[in-house]
Amino acid sequence: MKSFLALLIMACLSLPAHAEGFITRLLNKPVPGGVAVVKLPEQDSAPRVRYQDQSVLVIREDGQRWIAITGIPLTVKPGTEQLELDNGQKLDFQVGSREYPAQRITLKNQQHVTPDPAHLKRIQRELDEQIAAYKTFSPRQPSNLMLDRPVDGRLSSAFGLRRIFNGEERNPHSGLDFAAPSGTPIKSPAEGKVILTGDYFFNGKTVFVDHGQGLISMFCHLSSIGVKVGDELDRGEVLGKVGATGRATGPHLHWNVSLNNARVDPAIFIGAYMH
């Protein structure tokens, strides 16, 4: 009996070295539109990792192990995916399934459903600007990965909803919506640098913030923008105010989180994820 208890105590004491760390428990939601946290081979400096030809955020978790925090696009099918390390090594990870419901929205402005050719040129130009911002990969380490909610408000539209505008299906909902009155301050969920602002056809007044290593926040439909490109923001610093500009049916904040140029569910980063 004493021998058994001694073995049990030894097993318990050794558990933390093998158990998942806090970041893994928080973020590892390997589904389309989710995040895969993949343990990397041990080495002195951070391995460089790519997924779908995009650089991936790498951190040392709990001072013990290197991990890759990988954004999974909504378009990825369940099954085996692969990371590539700078030494040519490949690491497999599994993507599970997740079903996203449909959302039907009625818009008064039909141009926000089926834009005319003149608007399409503007939309493409604006899309190119935003895609370039999403591809930003700066060397800075994110100040925090448990992100703050950018506004105090009810979660009103979930990430990944299949959106049907005036009976016509369009791209899935790529962010998380917060219902809040017009003029409500919007705060940066982590330290970061403003890399793009604009007043866009669909997004309205918009701010992009680079938190580091491909972790990007985008805030849109603002009533006003309080920052400019190049500004360094502290965690919790106000960057603008809630509004209803662009394609919006009422005042709210639409918040995108992007990892390695993949839009992922922001609810994962604020502890509000529901499968």
Side-chain angles (χ1 to χ4, degrees):
M1 184 67 177
K2 287 182 179 180
S3 176
F4 172 76
L5 287 174
L7 288 171
L8 182 61
I9 291 169
M10 287 178 65
C12 290
L13 288 173
S14 65
L15 181 61
H18 304 285
E20 291 182 341
F22 171 76
I23 295 300
T24 298
R25 294 194 303 272
L26 172 71
L27 299 184
N28 192 41
K29 307 289 187 281
V31 296
V35 175
V37 179
V38 181
K39 185 178 177 182
L40 302 173
E42 190 50 47
Q43 58 186 62
D44 292 336
S45 58
R48 286 184 292 176
V49 179
R50 295 182 72 81
Y51 171 57
Q52 295 191 346
D53 204 32
Q54 302 288 323
S55 295
V56 173
L57 168 60
V58 172
I59 66 167
R60 188 180 282 281
E61 183 177 39
D62 298 339
Q64 295 181 8
R65 63 186 75 80
W66 293 111
I67 55 173
I69 301 173
T70 313
I72 306 169
L74 272 168
T75 53
V76 167
K77 304 298 184 186
T80 301
E81 290 291 298
Q82 208 168 60
L83 300 182
E84 184 172 355
L85 278 63
D86 53 359
N87 63 4
Q89 183 179 356
K90 292 179 171 57
L91 294 176
D92 290 345
F93 65 93
Q94 298 301 313
V95 176
S97 61
R98 184 183 182 188
E99 295 296 323
Y100 293 98
Q103 179 186 42
R104 297 181 179 274
I105 300 171
T106 301
L107 296 173
K108 294 180 181 179
N109 186 352
Q110 186 62 28
Q111 286 296 318
H112 281 155
V113 182
T114 310
D116 61 31
H119 283 132
L120 287 173
K121 288 183 180 179
R122 174 189 170 185
I123 290 164
Q124 187 59 55
R125 183 177 67 252
E126 295 175 349
L127 180 61
D128 291 344
E129 284 185 8
Q130 294 173 76
I131 288 175
Y134 280 127
K135 289 182 177 179
T136 300
F137 192 88
S138 60
R140 73 191 297 159
Q141 190 81 29
S143 64
N144 51 289
L145 290 169
M146 178 72 177
L147 301 180
D148 296 334
R149 295 186 178 217
V151 295
D152 295 324
R154 175 179 57 86
L155 301 182
S156 56
S157 287
F159 172 88
L161 294 172
R162 291 172 33 246
R163 293 183 303 174
I164 302 168
F165 293 105
N166 297 1
E168 299 182 35
E169 186 156 1
R170 292 295 183 262
N171 290 333
H173 193 229
S174 59
L176 191 62
D177 286 355
F178 293 81
S182 185
T184 301
I186 302 166
K187 301 175 182 179
S188 183
E191 291 178 8
K193 181 179 181 178
V194 179
I195 56 172
L196 182 66
T197 66
D199 191 350
Y200 298 123
F201 184 79
F202 286 131
N203 290 357
K205 291 184 171 66
T206 300
V207 175
F208 278 74
V209 178
D210 170 23
H211 302 297
Q213 291 198 49
L215 177 60
I216 309 289
S217 280
M218 187 273 282
F219 312 87
C220 67
H221 306 310
L222 280 60
S223 61
S224 64
I225 295 172
V227 293
K228 63 183 183 303
V229 172
D231 283 354
E232 291 283 349
L233 303 181
D234 292 330
R235 180 179 183 178
E237 187 170 348
V238 173
L239 57 88
K241 295 180 179 180
V242 170
T245 56
R247 186 169 66 184
T249 56
H252 71 283
L253 172 67
H254 174 96
W255 175 36
N256 273 17
V257 171
S258 186
L259 269 174
N260 48 269
N261 195 27
R263 261 52 83 204
V264 297
D265 190 347
I268 294 170
F269 295 84
I270 58 173
Y273 177 81
M274 297 181 67
H275 200 303

